[in-house]
Each structure stands twice: as C-alpha cells, then as structure tokens.
C-alpha cells in the first residue's frame, strides 16, 4: 500500500483579489503563492506531506501558465523527486481529475487530496487520515461544529430560519480527504459521466454510495481565503517556534 497526494492549486483567489482591488491596491497574487513564514503557502503544505514517510509522491495541479513557476519553487527549496507538477483544470474537481489520471498506482493504494492553501496541516492528522482510509476505505478531516447551526430558506427579503440542526450531527469539512484509489477513481468517473459537480471529494464519494469516515481536525488547519488569514497563519507559525 502506497500513499499518493494531490494538491489542487489552480485557483486564482477571487475573494483575496477582490479585497485587494476594493482597497485600491493591486490585485493579490494567487493565495498559494503568498508568503508566510518566509516561504510560499504552497511550500508549507508540501513540506507537511513530505514529512510523512508513507507518502510516495505528491502531484500539484496548477494552471498551465504557473507550471514553470511551481517547478522553480520545487527546485529552489530542494523538495526532491517526489514532487510532480501537472496541469490543472477550470475548477477543483477538474484539477483533481487531471492529477488522478497522471498517477500510476494499484487499486488499493491511497490517494489524499489536500487544499494547497491549508498550509498548517500537521503530520499527525495526515497519518490519522491514512490510517482511517486503511480501515474504512475513505475518510476526511472534519472539525466539530461549535456554533449553533441554523437551516434557512432564502427569500426575497433575506434568509428565514426553518430549523436548528443539532451540532452533534455536523462537522465542518477540512482536508486532506481521500480514499483507496479504486474508490476515488470510481466516484470521479461516475460524477463525470453524469456531469455532476461536487464541492469536495467527499461529496463525490458519498454520491457513489461510499461510506466516508471522519478524522478529527483542528482550528489551525484553516483555509486561507481572506487577507486577514495570512496574519493568522503567521501567528500560528510564530507560536509553533
């Protein structure tokens, strides 16, 4: 059993760019290339998975025009031969599908997918996710809900609460998410055949009737989305030293 990792990193960071434009500054660089702790966000994510001995290879899916840039980063930081850069797609699902097509592995090998802009993932959580996939076939990292969760109906006058969802029934999905290669490949193939667009890998696995286990995540494993998230990531990195 080998472990392969896919980092979809073809996003352009529309919310981050919009914030920069709204403040009168230049549009921000794609989030995965912003710097925290003296290195690009993407590099922190890569290093976390490279620190896991069971990881055989990592595939980064990026926009065609960013391939040379990412390969230069890989060489500059001496990340080694485990890293492969492939062309991404117009959305996350397409990018992951492209990377899946590039992986040559056995049906029982494990494939993890991790947001390139979750740079503070820790190796212990990665290891637990791999173990959960070995046991259950598929797993995601999830954070238990803390706030009260409301179900609403959208109306012309705004949202109207229709129900309160018990918090014990809710987790906030994080990454990595993954499954045995044969299960993940089947889920993606069925989604493509039906032209179904999911929000994450788990949504495709669920749709294919595959049970997905949940591994406990942490607040540190957040997704960099807004400009303030860079400062928060810097804070966590400084606190860890």
């Amino acid at each position: 059993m080998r472990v392969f990792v896919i980092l979809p990193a073809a996003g352009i960071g529309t919310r981050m760019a919009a914030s920069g434009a709204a403040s009168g500054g230049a549009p921000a660089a794609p989030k995965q290339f912003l710097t925290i702790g003296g290195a690009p966000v993407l590099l922190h994510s890569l290093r976390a998975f490279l620190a896991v001995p069971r990881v055989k290879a990592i595939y980064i899916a990026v926009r065609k025009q960013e391939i040379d840039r990412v390969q230069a980063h890989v060489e500059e930081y001496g990340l080694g031969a485990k890293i492969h850069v492939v062309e991404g797609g117009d959305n996350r699902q397409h990018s992951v599908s492209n990377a899946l097509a590039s992986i040559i592995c056995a049906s029982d090998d494990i494939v993890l997918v991790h947001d390139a802009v979750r740079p503070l993932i820790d190796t212990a959580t990665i290891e637990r996710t791999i173990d959960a996939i070995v046991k259950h076939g598929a797993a995601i990292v999830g954070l238990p809900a803390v706030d009260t969760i409301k179900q609403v109906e959208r109306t012309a006058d705004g949202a109207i609460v229709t129900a309160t969802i018990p918090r014990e029934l809710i987790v906030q999905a994080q990454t990595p998410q993954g499954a045995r290669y044969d299960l993940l490949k089947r889920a993606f193939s069925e989604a493509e055949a039906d032209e179904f667009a999911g929000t994450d890998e788990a949504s495709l696995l669920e749709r294919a009737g595959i049970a997905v286990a949940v591994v406990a995540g942490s607040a540190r494993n957040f997704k960099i989305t807004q400009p303030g998230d860079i400062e928060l990531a810097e804070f966590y990195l400084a606190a860890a030293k």
Side-chain angles (χ1 to χ4, degrees):
M1 182 275 293
R2 300 171 298 173
V3 177
F4 296 84
V5 178
I6 296 172
L7 295 184
I12 57 175
T14 53
R15 278 172 286 187
M16 189 79 77
S19 178
S23 63
K31 295 172 292 185
Q32 57 271 27
F33 299 118
L34 296 176
T35 299
I36 59 171
V41 167
L42 175 61
L43 269 294
H44 291 276
S45 300
L46 287 171
R47 285 169 172 164
F49 286 91
L50 287 171
V52 178
R54 285 187 283 180
V55 169
K56 174 71 175 178
I58 302 174
Y59 289 77
I60 313 169
V62 300
R63 290 181 294 161
K64 185 175 182 179
Q65 59 267 37
E66 301 287 4
I67 290 177
D68 290 343
R69 179 181 186 177
V70 173
Q71 288 177 331
H73 280 317
V74 170
E75 294 176 6
E76 177 185 354
Y77 289 90
L79 297 181
K82 285 187 177 182
I83 308 296
H84 305 272
V85 184
V86 300
E87 185 175 345
D90 295 331
N91 54 52
R92 175 197 180 93
Q93 190 168 319
H94 190 188
S95 291
V96 174
S97 182
N98 283 1
L100 268 178
S102 301
I103 298 174
I104 300 175
C105 61
S107 61
D108 62 346
D109 284 337
I110 288 173
V111 178
L112 298 176
V113 182
H114 182 69
D115 295 322
V117 290
R118 290 186 190 268
L120 302 180
I121 182 65
D122 60 277
T123 55
T125 301
I126 297 170
E127 293 277 14
R128 290 199 304 273
T129 306
I130 295 170
D131 291 339
I133 295 171
V134 170
K135 182 176 181 179
H136 300 285
I140 69 169
V141 175
L143 189 64
V146 175
D147 297 324
T148 298
I149 305 298
K150 300 292 185 180
Q151 179 175 313
V152 301
E153 177 183 351
R154 303 293 179 180
T155 72
D157 293 324
I160 303 296
V161 173
T162 59
T164 299
I165 303 174
R167 282 177 291 188
E168 60 269 21
L169 300 180
I170 300 294
V171 295
Q172 297 171 261
Q174 297 184 334
T175 64
Q177 303 188 2
R180 291 201 324 260
Y181 173 78
D182 59 341
L183 298 179
L184 193 61
K185 188 69 174 176
R186 173 162 69 86
F188 268 81
S189 295
E190 290 180 4
E192 182 179 1
D194 297 336
E195 297 183 347
F196 173 79
T199 54
D200 60 2
E201 291 67 49
S203 63
L204 305 190
L205 291 162
E206 296 158 26
R207 182 176 181 273
I210 298 165
V212 181
V214 178
V215 173
S218 74
R220 281 175 52 94
N221 186 29
F222 65 92
K223 185 177 182 180
I224 290 178
T225 305
Q226 306 287 355
D229 295 337
I230 293 293
E231 286 75 15
L232 181 58
E234 292 277 13
F235 170 80
Y236 277 126
L237 285 174
K241 292 181 179 179

